[in-house]
Amino acid sequence: RELRPYELIFQRTLASVMVDAELDLTTVHTRGRAADQSADGLFRSSGKVIRKAGWMRAYQLGQDVAEDAEGRLPYLEEGKKVWCWGLSPDTHSTKPPARYTEASFVKELEALGIGRPSTYAQILETLKDRQYVQLQGKALVPSLTAFVVIGLLENYFSDFVDTEFTARMEEQLDLIAQGTARKEAYLSEYYLGENGLRTKVSTSEEQILPEEARKVKVPTMPETADVDVFVGPYGAYAQKHSNG
């Protein structure tokens, strides 16, 4: 144990002055047949093939290399026969991305340049107060109202909910706070400009169909083909089509 740190220092020092290693990221497809000739199988392996060891020779039997050995493939040629010594079936299932927590949501806002430390708490409170999200454990779960609202905004006011637009707005507000930009000029352009909010509202208002704007886009099934889901002042509700 006492010798291990010195070995590691020596190996790292030696490796730092050696040439680069060359590895190929390789995928191998192997076709096999059952012993009783009843069925064929196609197996895939992905890993690294060492073309030139370079600095890796400094480690040789070192622990760092041994730990990485699992991801390596032996040198193979197309058409080469290999023997199967055993099979271990594993089940892999894809998982959806984890929902935001309050901490990860704030981290995402910081990465996008939206909001400031003094406003993060207010942003979260607004989302909760308007019932766009609710807490389940630590996860922020969006409501049906949130899906309807964001659908409406993306369809008719996409510029105003674009993250880059919001980040640019934050920069302008910082300049106003620092006294290097005039708030009147910025607000006038934002609201009265050629592509400002008033123009967007006036041009989009006639295109918005209230019934469609309140509808929740849900997958349809034969059993629910005649049912629509809407969001109203008191939450979501279902409405069945009438034949007469």
Side-chain angles (χ1 to χ4, degrees), residues 96-149:
R99 293 195 183 277
Y100 284 119
T101 63
E102 291 188 353
S104 63
F105 181 69
V106 169
K107 186 176 181 181
E108 182 70 9
L109 291 178
E110 289 177 338
L112 294 171
I114 297 174
R116 295 295 180 264
S118 59
T119 62
Y120 294 144
Q122 185 60 47
I123 291 173
L124 283 165
E125 287 305 312
T126 300
L127 293 174
K128 295 175 192 174
D129 291 344
R130 296 185 181 179
Q131 299 183 351
Y132 293 152
V133 297
Q134 58 183 349
L135 277 173
Q136 289 187 6
K138 292 185 177 181
L140 293 169
V141 180
S143 64
L144 291 178
T145 302
F147 285 110
V148 168
V149 171

Side-chain angles (χ1 to χ4, degrees), residues 61-96:
L61 300 178
Q63 185 179 354
D64 287 25
V65 173
E67 288 176 350
D68 192 42
E70 259 187 45
R72 295 188 192 170
L73 294 173
Y75 181 76
L76 297 169
E77 294 178 352
E78 188 174 353
K80 183 178 181 179
K81 290 185 178 180
V82 294
W83 294 98
C84 175
W85 296 104
L87 290 175
S88 176
D90 292 322
T91 300
H92 296 278
S93 57
T94 57
K95 295 182 179 180

Side-chain angles (χ1 to χ4, degrees), residues 194-214:
E194 184 178 349
N195 295 312
L197 182 60
R198 188 172 71 172
T199 303
K200 285 283 186 182
V201 169
S202 62
T203 55
S204 300
E205 196 171 15
E206 295 179 358
Q207 304 172 18
I208 298 175
L209 302 175
E211 198 76 2
E212 284 298 313
R214 293 188 297 109

Side-chain angles (χ1 to χ4, degrees), residues 23-98:
L23 299 93
D24 289 340
L25 297 178
T26 306
T27 299
V28 177
H29 296 271
T30 306
R31 187 177 298 279
R33 176 166 293 182
D36 60 0
Q37 307 294 312
S38 61
D40 289 343
L42 182 64
F43 305 92
R44 186 178 69 177
S45 299
S46 298
K48 296 172 286 190
V49 174
I50 299 176
R51 295 296 180 188
K52 182 178 178 182
W55 59 265
M56 298 177 71
R57 289 192 180 279
Y59 293 92
Q60 294 182 350
L61 300 178
Q63 185 179 354
D64 287 25
V65 173
E67 288 176 350
D68 192 42
E70 259 187 45
R72 295 188 192 170
L73 294 173
Y75 181 76
L76 297 169
E77 294 178 352
E78 188 174 353
K80 183 178 181 179
K81 290 185 178 180
V82 294
W83 294 98
C84 175
W85 296 104
L87 290 175
S88 176
D90 292 322
T91 300
H92 296 278
S93 57
T94 57
K95 295 182 179 180

Side-chain angles (χ1 to χ4, degrees), residues 219-238:
T220 57
M221 297 180 290
E223 298 83 358
T224 60
D226 59 345
V227 176
D228 289 325
V229 178
F230 298 91
V231 169
Y234 305 104
Y237 63 92

